[in-house]
Amino acid sequence: MTGSDDQSLGAKPPKPRQRVQQQHSVEGPAVAEESDPVPSKLAYWIKLNAKDLKIRQTDRSWAAELVNDFRENLLKFLKSNADQPFFQSVDFLTTGSYFEKVKIKTPDEFDMMLKLQVPVRFNTTKLDNGLFYRIDLTRPTRNPINAFLLENEHTLSSSRILSEMYRLVRKFLKTYKVPDERCHWEVNKKRVHSPAVTLSLCRPDCDELISVDMVPALEVQGWPPAVRTGPDVGNWLGKKVRQEIRSLPCYFVPKRLKGRNVSEDAKESWRISFSHIEKKIMTSHGNKKTCCESHATKCCRKQCLMLLKSLIEGLKLRFPKELEELCSYHGKTAFLHTLSSRFDDSAWSRQQLPACFLYLVNALEDHVRTGVLPHFFVPGCNLFSPAVFPRKTLAFLINALEEQKREGLPLLKPAAPVSPLRPMMAAAGITTEKPDKKETLFHLTSPLMLVPFFLLGLAIGFMFII
């Protein structure tokens, strides 16, 4: 869809500070009043795509049954496993897009944190701007955690805990039977910078059906100084919710710091995780506590995030090499920042879905254009810094987003249907195109066309012989 109507998609996000002032001075500003109207065809495609992204209940039930059975039986195995007592106190914490109810299209990916209780005190040493840490015990202990200390006997090894998790899962799968007898679980190859043990549910007659990421995580009650102030949600969710969030534990997952020539500390680094708080925010996402409850006004916040995830997924499928570093978490971070500054429920009414989504796309584009996307919980960490997101990738992403806006977001539209006449004509060998001169000459000089001339020549020759 091209043309002058689609040159400007409207819903341009204003500066956050100005936006906050407007929110206080005017109760519930309408999106349509602060942006250009969305072209009707584009609005139609956005609404249609939002409906298609919702997971069907039948698919959800089948996947949930298999994943829940796997999780419950693995938990029983770990709690009764005598050869590794440190994992006996584990519990699962469900996180990620499926449990936040923003998973799109199919229930084929699940995230679970395997909580590990740490009964001893330890210190955290910041290795970057507040996202990665080294963890050291404050004093010697006889706790089973000793099995995962480095040679200095006080630094906790992230790689050893992750390796042990791999070993335990493989041991569990030797005896575990999937409820669906056609399927089986496989452990994927370990990735250097991944904090998860990734499993695939497979069936002989098809590829991977479900992927599960299980992340071992240390539960810690005190937040490190770099993140102690908590996320900026006071105006959005309220000061009380902000205090509740800050009182929750945080988690450290075994993720190695990226980069060349990293130090020995970085090879055993832990990344702080707020997945459980993200889930809480997505569940209680409204400025008013009743937003999206059964008899309350519905908003379009989650639909906007799902549409943005779909757009990012489409861009990565179209440009896999150029946008390799781009992931859905970049979109989710831009989404959380947008909700924090644009917090009134009335600004996200269900009727204004197209305009709200375009507002969010423009907000992401602004972060890309400036090269600044602060982590929502660790503001000192820029997710678009050159160290983790190359400048050439950022420049390519700018052009890709501009192209999508200019063309009316073609990645959100279904493929153009093929005319029913065209396949029938092709099957019959009929074409509506005019052949060029070379093709005409070929047909005139084909063997079938030369048969009459050949017979005429034989007849004349026979006459001469007689």
Side-chain angles (χ1 to χ4, degrees):
M1 183 173 139
T2 58
S4 59
D5 284 346
D6 301 313
Q7 291 301 314
S8 175
L9 298 185
K12 187 67 176 176
K15 295 180 180 179
R17 184 172 298 175
Q18 295 174 349
R19 184 66 192 143
V20 170
Q21 292 172 353
Q22 291 175 8
Q23 291 270 4
H24 284 294
S25 61
V26 181
E27 178 64 24
V31 176
E33 295 176 358
E34 65 186 29
S35 63
D36 297 332
V38 181
S40 58
K41 289 185 178 180
L42 180 60
Y44 170 77
W45 289 122
I46 291 174
K47 292 178 181 179
L48 183 63
N49 195 272
K51 291 181 180 179
D52 292 341
L53 292 177
K54 189 175 181 180
I55 299 174
R56 293 182 300 177
Q57 184 59 39
T58 53
D59 295 340
R60 185 187 298 273
S61 300
W62 180 82
E65 180 184 355
L66 294 180
V67 173
N68 288 339
D69 186 83
F70 169 81
R71 180 183 62 188
E72 292 169 6
N73 281 277
L74 176 61
L75 190 62
K76 292 178 183 178
F77 168 81
L78 293 174
K79 287 183 176 295
S80 61
N81 186 51
D83 66 341
Q84 189 42 261
F86 181 62
F87 280 78
Q88 289 180 344
S89 62
V90 300
D91 199 1
F92 274 107
L93 184 67
T94 53
T95 59
S97 60
Y98 177 84
F99 298 101
E100 294 171 354
K101 296 185 178 180
V102 291
K103 181 73 177 72
I104 62 174
K105 299 177 183 177
T106 56
D108 56 356
E109 293 179 356
F110 293 81
D111 299 312
M112 290 180 280
M113 291 177 68
L114 191 72
K115 296 190 297 183
L116 297 170
Q117 301 292 334
V118 184
V120 294
R121 295 179 62 86
F122 57 81
N123 295 322
T124 55
T125 303
K126 190 169 60 173
L127 298 178
D128 64 344
N129 293 322
L131 197 60
F132 287 85
Y133 294 84
R134 187 185 77 232
I135 294 180
D136 299 310
L137 302 188
T138 56
R139 58 178 179 269
T141 179
R142 295 181 180 178
N143 188 276
I145 200 173
N146 276 340
F148 306 103
L149 298 179
L150 296 180
E151 284 68 21
N152 59 20
E153 297 183 350
H154 64 269
T155 300
L156 188 58
S157 168
S158 59
S159 62
R160 291 183 182 181
I161 284 188
L162 187 58
S163 296
E164 181 63 13
M165 185 68 201
Y166 267 97
R167 186 188 73 82
L168 291 172
V169 171
R170 288 193 177 100
K171 182 178 179 181
F172 164 72
L173 290 179
K174 290 180 179 179
T175 56
Y176 174 69
K177 301 296 182 182
V178 181
D180 188 334
E181 296 181 355
R182 300 170 299 171
C183 303
H184 67 280
W185 289 99
E186 292 182 359
V187 180
N188 293 1
K189 185 178 179 180
K190 187 176 180 180
R191 293 169 293 175
V192 176
H193 296 289
S194 173
V197 176
T198 302
L199 297 100
S200 296
L201 183 70
C202 302
R203 201 167 63 192
D205 58 340
C206 59
D207 296 329
E208 175 187 90
L209 298 172
I210 297 175
S211 174
V212 173
D213 279 351
M214 290 191 305
V215 182
L218 305 178
E219 187 177 67
V220 181
Q221 290 301 324
W223 291 21
V227 297
R228 197 159 290 168
T229 57
D232 181 19
V233 296
N235 290 330
W236 167 25
L237 301 177
K239 294 181 180 180
K240 183 178 179 180
V241 174
R242 185 169 179 266
Q243 285 298 114
E244 291 176 0
I245 289 174
R246 291 177 61 187
S247 67
L248 294 173
C250 65
Y251 294 89
F252 289 94
V253 300
K255 185 173 177 64
R256 181 173 175 173
L257 188 63
K258 289 184 178 181
R260 297 179 179 178
N261 302 320
V262 295
S263 64
E264 292 302 316
D265 287 343
K267 292 179 181 178
E268 296 292 349
S269 61
W270 296 80
R271 189 194 66 190
I272 194 167
S273 172
F274 296 96
S275 299
H276 60 306
I277 299 178
E278 292 172 10
K279 179 184 174 183
K280 178 179 176 60
I281 288 176
M282 294 302 297
T283 303
S284 307
H285 56 261
N287 184 234
K288 295 180 175 62
K289 307 309 175 190
T290 58
C291 181
C292 288
E293 291 187 357
S294 56
H295 299 291
T297 303
K298 307 292 184 180
C299 78
C300 66
R301 289 179 175 93
K302 288 189 176 183
Q303 285 181 303
C304 287
L305 177 57
M306 293 167 73
L307 285 165
L308 186 62
K309 286 161 62 76
S310 178
L311 179 61
I312 290 174
E313 181 181 285
L315 288 171
K316 287 183 66 67
L317 287 173
R318 185 178 178 186
F319 308 110
K321 293 182 179 180
E322 295 84 351
L323 297 178
E324 183 179 0
E325 289 81 6
L326 180 66
C327 67
S328 62
Y329 195 75
H330 293 110
K332 186 177 185 180
T333 302
F335 172 71
L336 292 174
H337 283 300
T338 304
L339 296 192
S340 183
S341 61
R342 180 189 175 89
F343 46 78
D344 273 349
D345 292 344
S346 55
W348 297 92
S349 65
R350 185 67 65 91
Q351 295 76 15
Q352 297 296 333
L353 171 63
C356 290
F357 171 60
L358 296 178
Y359 186 101
L360 181 57
V361 172
N362 283 318
L364 175 62
E365 185 183 7
D366 282 355
H367 285 292
V368 176
R369 198 172 297 279
T370 59
V372 178
L373 180 61
H375 192 286
F376 191 66
F377 298 91
V378 190
C381 178
N382 178 18
L383 300 182
F384 280 159
S385 69
V388 295
F389 206 95
R391 286 298 177 203
K392 65 177 183 179
T393 305
L394 211 58
F396 190 94
L397 181 56
I398 292 174
N399 293 330
L401 289 173
E402 287 179 345
E403 179 190 45
Q404 284 297 306
K405 291 172 58 180
R406 185 171 58 250
E407 301 296 331
L409 301 175
L411 287 177
L412 295 186
K413 301 176 186 177
V418 178
S419 171
L421 294 178
R422 190 176 298 275
M424 294 172 61
M425 294 168 65
I430 302 173
T431 178
T432 57
E433 298 178 356
K434 294 182 179 180
D436 58 21
K437 293 181 178 179
K438 291 183 179 179
E439 290 176 336
T440 305
L441 180 61
F442 170 78
H443 288 304
L444 290 177
T445 58
S446 64
L448 291 175
M449 294 297 292
L450 293 176
V451 169
F453 296 97
F454 177 72
L455 294 176
L456 179 61
L458 286 178
I460 295 173
F462 183 73
M463 291 171 61
F464 279 108
I465 294 173
I466 294 174

